[in-house]
Amino acid sequence: MIGNMSLKEKSIVFIGFMGVGKTTVAQLVAKKLYRDFVDIDEEIEKEFGMPTTEIFKRIGEKKFREREKEYVLHYCKQPLKIISLGGGAFLQEDIREACLDHSIVFYLDISWDSWKERLHMLVDSRPVLQNKSMDDIKDLFNARKSTYEEHNSKLMTDNFNEEEVADYIIDSLKLAWDIHE
Ligand code: S3P
C-alpha cells in the first residue's frame, strides 16, 4: 500500500508533449484494463461548449489553466481512472505534485525529429503552436522536456505505434502490480 490507495487502484496519468499520442494511448489502455478514460482537454471543452482554440481566443489561457488544474486535481485522486493530460498541464506545480502524490505518472516521450513530422496535423487545433516559427516551437519542445522528467515511468515512442505503446504500458503495469502485491 502506498498512501491510502493500493498501487493497483491508483489512477494512471499520461503526460508528454502535444501530439505524442497521449489521448489515443490512454483510450487504448483504458479499454484493455476495463477502466474509465478521462481526457482533461475534453472535460474543459465540454464545460465551455467550444474547442480549445476557441477557449484560448475567447476566454483566455488563464481561465483554461484554472479549469485544467481543477479537473486534474479532482480526477488524479480518484481510483482506477486512465487520464490524458494536455501537454501544458504539468507546467503547473500543483498539478505535478497532485499527480505524483496520488497517481502513476506515465511520460510518453518522442524525439524532435519524429515529432516535427507530425506538426502539420497538429498546428490548427493547438493554440500554443499558432503564429510560431519552427525555432520557437523547437525551443518550446525542449523547454517542456525538463518538466516531464518528473514521472514514475517513461517510454520513448518513436519506433512504436499506439497499440504497441499501450501493450508495453500494460505489461509494465502488470509487472509493477505483481511486485507490489
Ligand atoms: C497544450 C496542449 C493541448 C491543450 C492546449 C494546450 C499545451 O493538449 O491542452 O492546447 O500547452 O501544450 P495536447 O497535449 O493534448 O495537445
Side-chain angles (χ1 to χ4, degrees):
M1 295 276 269
I2 298 172
N4 53 9
M5 226 192 277
S6 74
L7 194 66
K8 230 172 176 160
E9 284 175 318
K10 285 187 172 210
S11 284
I12 297 153
V13 167
F14 285 97
I15 62 163
F17 203 60
M18 277 163 275
V20 68
K22 299 178 296 278
T23 298
T24 312
V25 168
Q27 257 168 338
L28 283 168
V29 171
K31 194 170 150 214
K32 287 168 192 265
L33 291 177
Y34 303 97
R35 288 194 183 189
D36 286 340
F37 163 71
V38 181
D39 186 87
I40 300 298
D41 285 344
E42 202 183 297
E43 295 294 314
I44 305 168
E45 289 179 343
K46 267 194 284 187
E47 178 182 327
F48 289 105
M50 58 182 101
T52 306
T53 32
E54 286 297 307
I55 301 173
F56 269 61
K57 259 190 239 157
R58 290 161 56 176
I59 294 156
E61 179 170 355
K62 189 168 176 279
K63 189 79 195 166
F64 176 88
R65 297 298 177 194
E66 280 170 24
R67 299 310 298 142
E68 180 174 54
K69 182 166 128 183
E70 287 291 315
Y71 281 115
V72 178
L73 263 54
H74 169 74
Y75 282 114
C76 79
K77 292 171 188 167
Q78 294 194 359
L80 303 168
K81 302 271 183 248
I82 308 290
I83 308 163
S84 174
L85 262 54
F90 236 52
L91 295 174
Q92 300 197 55
E93 194 183 346
D94 290 347
I95 290 186
R96 283 202 305 278
E97 272 178 11
C99 290
L100 291 162
D101 279 354
H102 299 280
S103 63
I104 301 170
V105 178
F106 242 101
Y107 169 28
L108 300 186
D109 196 7
I110 186 168
S111 70
W112 168 253
D113 285 340
S114 298
W115 186 82
K116 70 178 195 293
E117 305 293 319
R118 302 181 183 188
L119 175 58
H120 67 281
M121 298 186 293
L122 305 170
V123 71
D124 288 343
S125 58
R126 304 309 201 278
V128 290
L129 296 179
Q130 283 163 25
N131 307 314
K132 283 204 169 69
S133 69
M134 204 59 166
D135 281 348
D136 289 343
I137 296 174
K138 191 173 182 182
D139 286 347
L140 184 73
F141 183 91
N142 288 326
R144 292 273 176 93
K145 261 188 180 296
S146 58
T147 323
Y148 304 138
E149 280 312 324
E150 288 183 68
H151 56 254
N152 298 115
S153 196
K154 162 174 158 171
L155 178 61
M156 176 51 86
T157 60
D158 279 23
N159 301 317
F160 305 106
N161 64 37
E162 280 136 344
E163 191 84 34
E164 289 168 331
V165 170
D167 287 341
Y168 170 89
I169 288 162
I170 288 171
D171 287 348
S172 71
L173 280 168
K174 285 188 173 159
L175 212 66
W177 289 336
D178 284 349
I179 291 167
H180 289 93
E181 207 154 35

